[in-house]
Coordinates of all heavy atoms in Angstrom, one line a residue:
M1 N 138.2 121.0 101.7 CA 139.1 122.1 101.7 C 138.8 122.9 102.9 O 137.7 123.1 103.4 CB 138.9 122.9 100.4 CG 139.7 124.2 100.4 SD 139.5 125.2 99.0 CE 140.8 124.6 98.0
F2 N 139.9 123.5 103.4 CA 139.8 124.3 104.7 C 140.5 125.7 104.5 O 141.5 125.7 103.8 CB 140.4 123.7 105.8 CG 139.8 122.4 106.3 CD1 140.3 121.2 105.8 CD2 138.8 122.4 107.2 CE1 139.8 120.0 106.2 CE2 138.2 121.2 107.6 CZ 138.7 120.0 107.0
R3 N 140.0 126.7 105.1 CA 140.8 127.8 105.4 C 141.1 127.6 106.9 O 140.1 127.7 107.7 CB 140.1 129.1 105.2 CG 139.9 129.3 103.7 CD 139.2 130.7 103.5 NE 138.7 130.7 102.1 CZ 137.7 131.4 101.7 NH1 137.0 132.1 102.5 NH2 137.4 131.3 100.4
Y4 N 142.3 127.2 107.3 CA 142.5 126.7 108.6 C 142.2 127.8 109.7 O 142.7 128.9 109.6 CB 144.0 126.2 108.7 CG 144.2 125.0 107.9 CD1 144.9 125.1 106.7 CD2 143.7 123.8 108.3 CE1 145.1 123.9 106.0 CE2 143.9 122.6 107.6 CZ 144.6 122.7 106.4 OH 144.8 121.6 105.7
S5 N 141.5 127.3 110.7 CA 141.3 128.0 111.9 C 141.0 127.0 113.0 O 140.6 125.9 112.6 CB 140.2 129.0 111.8 OG 138.9 128.4 111.7
E6 N 141.1 127.3 114.2 CA 140.9 126.4 115.3 C 139.5 125.7 115.2 O 139.4 124.5 115.5 CB 141.1 127.0 116.6 CG 141.0 126.1 117.8 CD 141.3 126.8 119.1 OE1 141.8 127.9 119.1 OE2 140.9 126.2 120.1
K7 N 138.5 126.4 114.9 CA 137.1 125.9 114.9 C 136.6 125.7 113.5 O 135.4 125.5 113.3 CB 136.2 126.8 115.7 CG 136.6 127.0 117.1 CD 136.7 125.7 117.9 CE 137.1 125.9 119.3 NZ 137.4 124.6 120.0
A8 N 137.5 125.7 112.5 CA 137.2 125.4 111.1 C 136.1 126.3 110.6 O 135.2 125.9 109.9 CB 136.8 123.9 111.0
H9 N 136.2 127.6 111.0 CA 135.2 128.5 110.4 C 135.3 128.6 108.9 O 134.3 129.0 108.2 CB 135.4 129.9 111.0 CG 134.9 130.0 112.4 ND1 133.6 130.0 112.7 CD2 135.6 130.1 113.6 CE1 133.4 130.1 114.1 NE2 134.6 130.2 114.6
G10 N 136.4 128.3 108.3 CA 136.6 128.3 106.9 C 136.4 127.0 106.2 O 136.8 126.8 105.1
Y11 N 135.8 126.0 106.9 CA 135.6 124.7 106.3 C 134.8 124.8 105.0 O 133.7 125.4 105.0 CB 135.0 123.8 107.3 CG 134.6 122.4 106.6 CD1 135.6 121.5 106.3 CD2 133.3 122.1 106.4 CE1 135.3 120.3 105.7 CE2 132.9 120.9 105.9 CZ 133.9 120.0 105.5 OH 133.6 118.8 104.9
L12 N 135.3 124.3 103.9 CA 134.7 124.3 102.6 C 134.4 122.9 102.0 O 134.2 122.8 100.8 CB 135.5 125.1 101.6 CG 135.5 126.6 101.8 CD1 136.6 127.2 101.0 CD2 134.2 127.2 101.5
G13 N 134.5 121.9 102.8 CA 134.3 120.5 102.4 C 132.9 120.2 102.1 O 132.0 121.0 102.1
N14 N 132.7 118.9 101.7 CA 131.3 118.5 101.3 C 130.7 117.5 102.2 O 129.8 116.8 101.8 CB 131.4 117.9 99.8 CG 132.3 116.8 99.7 OD1 133.0 116.3 100.7 ND2 132.5 116.3 98.5
I15 N 131.2 117.4 103.4 CA 130.5 116.5 104.4 C 129.1 117.0 104.6 O 128.8 118.1 104.8 CB 131.3 116.4 105.7 CG1 132.6 115.8 105.5 CG2 130.5 115.7 106.8 CD1 133.5 115.8 106.7
D16 N 128.1 116.0 104.4 CA 126.7 116.4 104.5 C 125.9 115.7 105.5 O 124.7 115.6 105.4 CB 126.1 116.2 103.1 CG 126.1 114.8 102.6 OD1 126.7 113.9 103.3 OD2 125.5 114.5 101.5
R17 N 126.6 115.1 106.5 CA 125.9 114.4 107.6 C 126.4 114.9 108.9 O 127.7 115.1 109.0 CB 126.0 112.9 107.5 CG 125.2 112.4 106.3 CD 124.9 110.9 106.4 NE 124.1 110.5 105.2 CZ 122.8 110.5 105.2 NH1 122.1 110.8 106.2 NH2 122.2 110.1 104.1
A18 N 125.6 115.0 109.9 CA 126.0 115.3 111.3 C 126.6 114.1 111.9 O 126.5 113.0 111.4 CB 124.8 115.8 112.0
M19 N 127.2 114.3 113.1 CA 127.9 113.2 113.8 C 126.9 112.1 114.1 O 127.2 110.9 114.2 CB 128.4 113.7 115.1 CG 129.7 114.4 115.0 SD 130.4 115.2 116.5 CE 130.2 113.9 117.7
N20 N 125.6 112.5 114.3 CA 124.6 111.5 114.7 C 124.1 110.7 113.5 O 123.2 109.9 113.6 CB 123.5 112.1 115.5 CG 122.7 113.2 114.7 OD1 122.9 113.3 113.5 ND2 121.9 114.0 115.3
G21 N 124.6 111.1 112.3 CA 124.1 110.4 111.1 C 123.0 111.1 110.3 O 122.7 110.6 109.2
D22 N 122.4 112.1 110.9 CA 121.3 112.8 110.3 C 121.8 113.6 109.0 O 123.0 114.1 109.1 CB 120.7 113.8 111.2 CG 119.8 113.1 112.3 OD1 119.6 111.9 112.2 OD2 119.4 113.8 113.2
K23 N 121.0 113.6 108.0 CA 121.4 114.3 106.8 C 121.2 115.8 107.1 O 120.3 116.3 107.7 CB 120.4 113.9 105.7 CG 120.7 114.5 104.3 CD 121.6 113.7 103.5 CE 121.7 114.2 102.1 NZ 122.9 114.8 101.8
C24 N 122.2 116.6 106.6 CA 122.1 118.1 106.7 C 121.0 118.6 105.8 O 120.8 118.1 104.7 CB 123.4 118.7 106.3 SG 124.8 118.3 107.4
L25 N 120.3 119.6 106.2 CA 119.4 120.4 105.4 C 120.1 121.6 104.8 O 121.1 122.1 105.3 CB 118.2 120.8 106.3 CG 117.4 119.8 106.9 CD1 116.3 120.4 107.7 CD2 116.8 118.8 105.8
P26 N 119.6 122.1 103.7 CA 120.3 123.2 103.0 C 120.2 124.5 103.9 O 119.2 124.9 104.4 CB 119.5 123.5 101.8 CG 118.7 122.2 101.5 CD 118.5 121.6 102.9
W27 N 121.4 125.1 104.1 CA 121.5 126.4 104.7 C 120.6 127.5 104.0 O 120.1 128.4 104.6 CB 122.9 126.9 104.8 CG 123.8 126.1 105.7 CD1 124.5 125.0 105.3 CD2 124.1 126.4 107.0 NE1 125.3 124.6 106.4 CE2 125.1 125.4 107.4 CE3 123.8 127.3 107.9 CZ2 125.6 125.3 108.7 CZ3 124.3 127.3 109.2 CH2 125.2 126.3 109.6
N28 N 120.5 127.3 102.7 CA 119.8 128.3 102.0 C 118.2 128.1 102.0 O 117.5 128.8 101.3 CB 120.2 128.4 100.5 CG 120.2 127.0 99.8 OD1 119.6 126.1 100.3 ND2 120.9 126.9 98.7
N29 N 117.8 127.4 103.0 CA 116.3 127.2 103.2 C 115.8 128.6 103.7 O 116.4 129.2 104.6 CB 116.1 126.2 104.3 CG 114.6 126.0 104.6 OD1 113.9 126.9 104.9 ND2 114.2 124.7 104.6
P30 N 114.8 129.2 103.1 CA 114.3 130.5 103.5 C 114.0 130.6 105.0 O 114.1 131.7 105.6 CB 113.0 130.7 102.7 CG 113.2 129.8 101.5 CD 114.0 128.6 102.0
V31 N 113.6 129.5 105.6 CA 113.2 129.6 107.1 C 114.5 129.9 107.9 O 114.5 130.8 108.7 CB 112.7 128.2 107.6 CG1 112.5 128.2 109.1 CG2 111.3 128.0 106.9
F32 N 115.6 129.3 107.5 CA 116.9 129.5 108.3 C 117.4 130.9 107.9 O 117.9 131.6 108.8 CB 118.0 128.5 107.9 CG 117.5 127.1 108.2 CD1 117.9 126.0 107.3 CD2 116.8 126.7 109.3 CE1 117.5 124.7 107.6 CE2 116.4 125.4 109.6 CZ 116.8 124.4 108.7
I33 N 117.3 131.3 106.7 CA 117.8 132.6 106.3 C 117.1 133.7 107.1 O 117.7 134.6 107.6 CB 117.7 132.8 104.8 CG1 118.7 131.9 104.1 CG2 117.9 134.3 104.4 CD1 118.5 131.9 102.6
E34 N 115.8 133.6 107.1 CA 115.0 134.7 107.8 C 115.1 134.6 109.3 O 115.4 135.6 110.0 CB 113.5 134.5 107.4 CG 112.6 135.6 108.0 CD 111.2 135.5 107.6 OE1 110.9 134.9 106.5 OE2 110.3 136.0 108.3
F35 N 115.0 133.4 109.9 CA 115.0 133.2 111.4 C 116.4 133.6 111.9 O 116.5 134.3 113.0 CB 114.7 131.8 111.7 CG 114.5 131.6 113.2 CD1 113.2 131.9 113.8 CD2 115.5 131.1 114.0 CE1 113.0 131.7 115.2 CE2 115.2 130.9 115.4 CZ 114.0 131.2 115.9
F36 N 117.5 133.2 111.3 CA 118.8 133.5 111.8 C 119.5 134.7 111.1 O 120.6 135.0 111.5 CB 119.7 132.2 111.6 CG 119.3 131.1 112.5 CD1 118.6 130.1 112.0 CD2 119.5 131.1 113.9 CE1 118.2 129.0 112.8 CE2 119.1 130.1 114.7 CZ 118.4 129.1 114.2
G37 N 118.9 135.3 110.1 CA 119.5 136.4 109.4 C 120.8 136.0 108.7 O 121.7 136.8 108.7
L38 N 120.8 134.8 108.1 CA 122.0 134.4 107.4 C 122.3 135.3 106.2 O 121.4 135.6 105.5 CB 121.9 132.9 107.0 CG 121.6 131.9 108.1 CD1 121.4 130.5 107.5 CD2 122.8 131.9 109.0
K39 N 123.6 135.5 106.0 CA 124.1 136.3 104.9 C 125.2 135.5 104.2 O 125.9 134.8 104.9 CB 124.5 137.7 105.3 CG 123.5 138.5 106.0 CD 124.0 139.9 106.5 CE 125.2 139.8 107.4 NZ 125.1 139.2 108.7
A40 N 125.4 135.8 102.9 CA 126.5 135.1 102.2 C 127.9 135.4 102.9 O 128.7 134.5 102.9 CB 126.5 135.6 100.7
A41 N 128.0 136.6 103.4 CA 129.3 137.0 104.1 C 129.6 136.2 105.3 O 130.7 136.1 105.8 CB 129.3 138.4 104.4
D42 N 128.6 135.4 105.9 CA 128.8 134.6 107.1 C 129.5 133.3 106.8 O 130.0 132.6 107.7 CB 127.4 134.2 107.7 CG 126.6 135.4 108.2 OD1 127.3 136.5 108.5 OD2 125.4 135.3 108.2
F43 N 129.6 133.0 105.5 CA 130.2 131.7 105.1 C 131.5 131.8 104.3 O 131.6 132.8 103.5 CB 129.1 130.9 104.2 CG 127.9 130.6 105.0 CD1 126.8 131.5 105.0 CD2 127.8 129.5 105.7 CE1 125.7 131.3 105.7 CE2 126.6 129.2 106.4 CZ 125.6 130.1 106.4
P44 N 132.4 130.9 104.4 CA 133.6 131.0 103.6 C 133.4 130.8 102.1 O 134.2 131.2 101.3 CB 134.5 129.8 104.2 CG 133.5 128.8 104.7 CD 132.4 129.7 105.2
D45 N 132.2 130.2 101.8 CA 131.8 130.0 100.4 C 131.5 131.4 99.7 O 131.5 131.5 98.5 CB 130.6 129.2 100.2 CG 130.6 128.0 101.1 OD1 130.4 128.2 102.4 OD2 130.7 126.9 100.6
K46 N 131.2 132.4 100.5 CA 130.8 133.7 100.1 C 129.4 133.6 99.4 O 129.0 134.4 98.6 CB 131.8 134.4 99.2 CG 133.1 134.7 99.8 CD 133.0 135.4 101.1 CE 134.3 135.6 101.9 NZ 134.1 135.8 103.3
E47 N 128.7 132.6 99.7 CA 127.3 132.4 99.3 C 126.7 131.5 100.4 O 127.4 130.8 101.1 CB 127.1 131.8 98.0 CG 127.7 130.4 97.9 CD 127.6 129.8 96.4 OE1 127.4 130.6 95.5 OE2 127.8 128.6 96.3
I48 N 125.4 131.5 100.5 CA 124.8 130.6 101.5 C 124.7 129.2 100.9 O 124.1 129.0 99.8 CB 123.4 131.1 101.9 CG1 123.5 132.5 102.5 CG2 122.7 130.1 102.9 CD1 122.2 133.2 102.9
P49 N 125.4 128.2 101.5 CA 125.6 126.9 100.9 C 124.3 126.1 101.0 O 123.4 126.4 101.7 CB 126.7 126.3 101.7 CG 126.6 127.0 103.0 CD 126.1 128.3 102.8
G50 N 124.4 124.9 100.3 CA 123.3 123.9 100.4 C 123.5 123.1 101.6 O 123.9 123.5 102.7
A51 N 123.2 121.8 101.4 CA 123.2 120.9 102.6 C 124.5 120.3 102.9 O 124.9 119.1 102.5 CB 122.2 119.7 102.2
V52 N 125.4 121.1 103.6 CA 126.7 120.7 104.0 C 127.0 121.2 105.4 O 126.3 122.1 105.8 CB 127.8 121.2 103.0 CG1 127.7 120.5 101.6 CG2 127.7 122.7 102.8
C53 N 128.0 120.7 106.0 CA 128.5 121.2 107.3 C 129.3 122.5 107.1 O 130.1 122.6 106.2 CB 129.4 120.1 108.0 SG 128.5 118.6 108.3
R54 N 129.0 123.4 107.9 CA 129.7 124.7 108.0 C 129.8 125.2 109.4 O 129.0 124.8 110.3 CB 129.0 125.8 107.1 CG 129.1 125.5 105.6 CD 130.5 125.7 105.1 NE 130.6 125.5 103.6 CZ 130.9 124.4 103.0 NH1 131.1 123.2 103.7 NH2 130.9 124.3 101.7
N55 N 130.6 126.2 109.6 CA 130.7 126.9 110.9 C 130.6 128.4 110.6 O 131.7 129.1 110.6 CB 131.9 126.5 111.7 CG 131.8 127.0 113.2 OD1 130.7 127.4 113.6 ND2 132.8 126.8 113.9
P56 N 129.5 129.0 110.3 CA 129.4 130.3 109.9 C 129.9 131.3 111.0 O 129.7 131.0 112.1 CB 127.9 130.5 109.6 CG 127.2 129.5 110.3 CD 128.1 128.3 110.4
V57 N 130.4 132.4 110.5 CA 130.8 133.4 111.4 C 129.7 134.5 111.5 O 129.6 135.4 110.6 CB 132.1 134.1 110.9 CG1 132.6 135.1 111.9 CG2 133.2 133.0 110.8
N58 N 128.8 134.4 112.4 CA 127.8 135.4 112.7 C 127.3 135.2 114.1 O 127.9 134.5 114.9 CB 126.7 135.4 111.6 CG 125.7 134.3 111.7 OD1 125.8 133.5 112.7 ND2 124.8 134.2 110.8
N59 N 126.2 135.8 114.4 CA 125.7 135.7 115.8 C 124.7 134.6 116.0 O 123.8 134.8 116.8 CB 125.1 137.1 116.1 CG 126.1 138.2 116.2 OD1 127.3 137.9 116.6 ND2 125.8 139.4 115.8
I60 N 124.8 133.5 115.3 CA 123.9 132.4 115.6 C 124.3 131.9 117.0 O 125.4 131.4 117.2 CB 124.0 131.3 114.5 CG1 123.6 131.8 113.1 CG2 123.2 130.1 114.9 CD1 123.8 130.8 112.0
N61 N 123.4 132.0 117.9 CA 123.7 131.5 119.3 C 123.2 130.1 119.4 O 122.1 129.8 119.9 CB 122.9 132.4 120.3 CG 123.3 132.1 121.6 OD1 124.3 131.4 121.9 ND2 122.6 132.6 122.6
T62 N 124.1 129.2 119.0 CA 123.7 127.8 119.1 C 124.5 127.0 120.1 O 124.1 125.9 120.5 CB 124.0 127.1 117.7 OG1 125.4 127.1 117.5 CG2 123.3 127.8 116.6
G63 N 125.6 127.5 120.5 CA 126.5 126.7 121.4 C 127.4 125.7 120.6 O 128.3 125.1 121.1
L64 N 127.0 125.6 119.3 CA 127.8 124.7 118.4 C 129.0 125.4 117.7 O 129.9 124.8 117.3 CB 126.9 124.1 117.3 CG 125.8 123.2 117.8 CD1 124.9 122.8 116.7 CD2 126.3 122.0 118.5
T65 N 128.9 126.7 117.5 CA 130.0 127.4 116.8 C 131.3 127.3 117.5 O 132.3 127.4 116.9 CB 129.6 128.9 116.5 OG1 129.4 129.5 117.8 CG2 128.4 129.0 115.6
D66 N 131.3 127.1 118.8 CA 132.6 126.9 119.5 C 133.1 125.5 119.4 O 134.3 125.3 119.8 CB 132.3 127.2 121.0 CG 132.1 128.6 121.3 OD1 132.4 129.5 120.5 OD2 131.5 128.9 122.4
K67 N 132.4 124.6 118.8 CA 132.9 123.2 118.6 C 133.4 122.9 117.2 O 134.0 121.9 117.0 CB 131.7 122.3 119.0 CG 131.3 122.4 120.4 CD 130.2 121.4 120.8 CE 129.8 121.6 122.2 NZ 128.6 120.7 122.5
G68 N 133.0 123.7 116.3 CA 133.4 123.4 114.9 C 132.2 123.3 114.0 O 131.1 123.7 114.4
P69 N 132.4 122.8 112.8 CA 131.3 122.8 111.8 C 130.0 122.0 112.3 O 130.2 121.1 113.1 CB 131.9 122.1 110.6 CG 133.3 122.5 110.7 CD 133.6 122.4 112.2
W70 N 128.9 122.4 111.8 CA 127.6 121.9 112.2 C 126.6 122.1 111.1 O 127.0 122.8 110.1 CB 127.1 122.5 113.5 CG 127.0 124.0 113.5 CD1 128.0 124.9 113.6 CD2 125.8 124.7 113.2 NE1 127.5 126.2 113.5 CE2 126.1 126.1 113.3 CE3 124.5 124.4 113.0 CZ2 125.2 127.1 113.0 CZ3 123.5 125.4 112.8 CH2 123.9 126.7 112.8
C71 N 125.4 121.6 111.2 CA 124.4 121.8 110.2 C 123.0 121.7 110.8 O 122.9 121.2 111.9 CB 124.5 120.9 109.0 SG 124.2 119.2 109.3
F72 N 122.1 122.2 110.1 CA 120.7 122.1 110.4 C 120.3 120.7 110.0 O 120.5 120.2 108.9 CB 119.8 123.1 109.7 CG 120.0 124.5 110.2 CD1 120.7 125.4 109.4 CD2 119.6 124.9 111.4 CE1 120.9 126.7 109.8 CE2 119.8 126.3 111.8 CZ 120.5 127.1 111.0
T73 N 119.6 119.9 110.9 CA 119.1 118.6 110.6 C 117.6 118.5 110.7 O 117.1 117.4 110.6 CB 119.8 117.5 111.5 OG1 119.6 117.9 112.9 CG2 121.3 117.5 111.2
G74 N 117.0 119.6 111.0 CA 115.5 119.6 111.1 C 115.1 121.1 111.1 O 115.9 122.0 111.2
L75 N 113.8 121.3 110.9 CA 113.3 122.6 110.9 C 113.2 123.1 112.3 O 113.2 122.4 113.2 CB 112.0 122.7 110.2 CG 112.1 122.4 108.6 CD1 110.7 122.5 108.0 CD2 113.0 123.4 107.9
I76 N 113.1 124.4 112.5 CA 113.2 125.1 113.8 C 112.1 124.7 114.7 O 112.1 125.0 115.9 CB 113.4 126.6 113.7 CG1 112.3 127.2 112.9 CG2 114.8 126.9 113.0 CD1 112.4 128.7 112.8
D77 N 111.0 124.1 114.2 CA 109.9 123.7 115.1 C 110.1 122.4 115.7 O 109.3 121.9 116.5 CB 108.6 123.8 114.3 CG 108.6 122.8 113.1 OD1 109.7 122.3 112.7 OD2 107.5 122.5 112.6
K78 N 111.3 121.8 115.4 CA 111.6 120.4 116.0 C 112.7 120.6 117.1 O 113.6 121.5 116.9 CB 112.1 119.5 114.9 CG 111.2 119.4 113.7 CD 110.2 118.3 113.9 CE 109.5 118.0 112.6 NZ 108.1 118.1 112.7
P79 N 112.7 119.8 118.1 CA 113.8 119.8 119.0 C 115.1 119.3 118.3 O 115.0 118.5 117.4 CB 113.4 118.9 120.2 CG 112.3 118.0 119.6 CD 111.7 118.8 118.5
N80 N 116.2 119.8 118.8 CA 117.5 119.3 118.2 C 117.6 119.4 116.7 O 117.9 118.5 116.0 CB 117.7 117.8 118.6 CG 117.7 117.6 120.1 OD1 118.3 118.5 120.9 ND2 117.1 116.6 120.6
Y81 N 117.3 120.6 116.2 CA 117.3 120.9 114.8 C 118.7 121.2 114.3 O 118.9 121.5 113.1 CB 116.3 121.9 114.4 CG 116.4 123.3 115.0 CD1 117.2 124.3 114.4 CD2 115.8 123.5 116.3 CE1 117.3 125.5 115.0 CE2 115.9 124.8 116.8 CZ 116.7 125.7 116.2 OH 116.8 127.0 116.8
M82 N 119.7 121.3 115.2 CA 121.1 121.6 114.8 C 122.0 120.5 115.4 O 121.8 120.1 116.5 CB 121.6 122.9 115.3 CG 120.8 124.1 114.8 SD 121.4 125.6 115.6 CE 119.9 126.2 116.4
S83 N 123.0 120.0 114.6 CA 123.8 119.0 115.1 C 125.3 119.3 114.6 O 125.5 119.8 113.5 CB 123.4 117.6 114.5 OG 122.1 117.3 114.9
S84 N 126.2 118.9 115.5 CA 127.6 119.0 115.1 C 128.0 118.0 114.1 O 127.4 116.9 114.0 CB 128.5 118.7 116.4 OG 128.3 119.8 117.3
C85 N 129.0 118.3 113.3 CA 129.6 117.4 112.3 C 131.0 117.0 112.7 O 131.7 117.7 113.3 CB 129.7 118.2 111.0 SG 128.1 118.7 110.3
D86 N 131.4 115.8 112.3 CA 132.7 115.2 112.5 C 133.6 115.7 111.4 O 133.4 115.3 110.2 CB 132.6 113.7 112.5 CG 132.9 113.1 113.9 OD1 133.4 113.9 114.8 OD2 132.8 111.9 114.0
I87 N 134.6 116.5 111.7 CA 135.5 117.0 110.7 C 136.9 116.8 111.1 O 137.3 117.2 112.2 CB 135.3 118.6 110.5 CG1 133.8 118.9 110.1 CG2 136.2 119.1 109.4 CD1 133.3 118.5 108.8
L88 N 137.7 116.1 110.3 CA 139.1 115.9 110.6 C 139.9 117.0 110.0 O 139.9 117.2 108.8 CB 139.5 114.5 110.0 CG 140.9 114.0 110.3 CD1 141.0 113.8 111.8 CD2 141.2 112.8 109.5
L89 N 140.6 117.7 110.9 CA 141.4 118.9 110.5 C 142.8 118.7 111.0 O 143.0 118.7 112.2 CB 140.8 120.2 111.1 CG 141.5 121.5 110.9 CD1 141.5 121.8 109.4 CD2 140.8 122.6 111.6
R90 N 143.7 118.6 110.1 CA 145.1 118.4 110.5 C 145.3 117.3 111.5 O 146.0 117.4 112.5 CB 145.7 119.7 111.1 CG 145.8 120.8 110.1 CD 146.4 122.0 110.7 NE 146.6 123.1 109.7 CZ 147.0 124.3 110.0 NH1 147.3 124.6 111.2 NH2 147.1 125.2 109.1
G91 N 144.7 116.2 111.2 CA 144.8 115.0 112.0 C 144.0 115.0 113.4 O 144.2 114.1 114.2
K92 N 143.2 116.0 113.6 CA 142.5 116.2 114.9 C 141.0 116.3 114.5 O 140.6 117.1 113.7 CB 143.0 117.4 115.6 CG 142.3 117.8 116.8 CD 142.8 119.0 117.4 CE 141.9 119.5 118.6 NZ 142.2 120.8 119.0
W93 N 140.2 115.6 115.2 CA 138.7 115.7 115.1 C 138.3 117.0 115.7 O 138.5 117.2 116.9 CB 138.0 114.5 115.7 CG 138.3 113.2 114.9 CD1 139.1 112.2 115.2 CD2 137.7 112.9 113.6 NE1 139.1 111.3 114.2 CE2 138.2 111.7 113.2 CE3 136.7 113.5 112.8 CZ2 137.8 111.0 112.1 CZ3 136.3 112.9 111.6 CH2 136.9 111.6 111.3
I94 N 137.5 117.8 115.0 CA 137.1 119.1 115.5 C 135.9 119.0 116.4 O 135.9 119.7 117.5 CB 136.8 120.0 114.3 CG1 138.0 120.3 113.5 CG2 136.2 121.3 114.8 CD1 139.1 121.0 114.2
S95 N 134.9 118.2 116.2 CA 133.7 118.3 116.9 C 133.6 117.3 118.1 O 132.6 117.3 118.8 CB 132.5 118.0 116.0 OG 132.4 119.1 115.0
R96 N 134.6 116.6 118.3 CA 134.6 115.5 119.4 C 135.0 116.1 120.7 O 135.8 116.9 120.8 CB 135.4 114.3 119.0 CG 134.8 113.6 117.8 CD 135.7 112.4 117.5 NE 135.0 111.7 116.4 CZ 135.5 110.6 115.9 NH1 136.6 110.1 116.3 NH2 134.9 110.1 114.8

């Protein structure tokens, strides 16, 4: 399900893998909440979601929010801990 926007900030689907095939980690991991200051209001779910692709509206400076939904695929002590997700929106791939 989507609340349509160009970058799918309102994406509410259940895709749980990044484009590279890595499994998404839960957004509600205390490490991500504390490090990035995530709040329920940042997500279209109106709660911090589990392990799914999202494009939260906040000041996470990832370079990914301009591309569409993404997820954490590793903890912040690992390189490449965030990855874009492939989301088909109105017949167009968002992250490609």
Side-chain angles (χ1 to χ4, degrees):
M1 173 184 264
F2 298 93
R3 293 183 193 152
Y4 291 104
S5 71
E6 183 180 343
K7 301 300 177 191
H9 286 289
Y11 174 69
L12 288 167
N14 59 1
I15 293 174
D16 63 354
R17 292 202 178 265
M19 282 175 48
N20 62 10
D22 288 350
K23 181 95 172 108
C24 294
L25 297 178
W27 291 87
N28 55 13
N29 181 310
V31 172
F32 302 140
I33 291 171
E34 184 176 337
F35 190 80
F36 292 103
L38 299 177
K39 302 178 300 300
D42 298 332
F43 298 90
D45 316 70
K46 300 305 177 207
E47 64 183 15
I48 299 175
V52 291
C53 296
R54 291 290 183 266
N55 195 6
V57 179
N58 76 2
N59 293 324
I60 297 175
N61 187 14
T62 65
L64 296 175
T65 58
D66 291 339
K67 297 179 181 176
W70 58 278
C71 67
F72 293 106
T73 54
L75 294 179
I76 58 176
D77 61 343
K78 308 267 190 238
N80 302 318
Y81 59 91
M82 297 179 241
S83 298
S84 293
C85 298
D86 248 350
I87 306 292
L88 186 63
L89 176 63
R90 294 184 177 172
K92 177 183 170 191
W93 290 101
I94 296 297
S95 296
R96 293 183 178 178

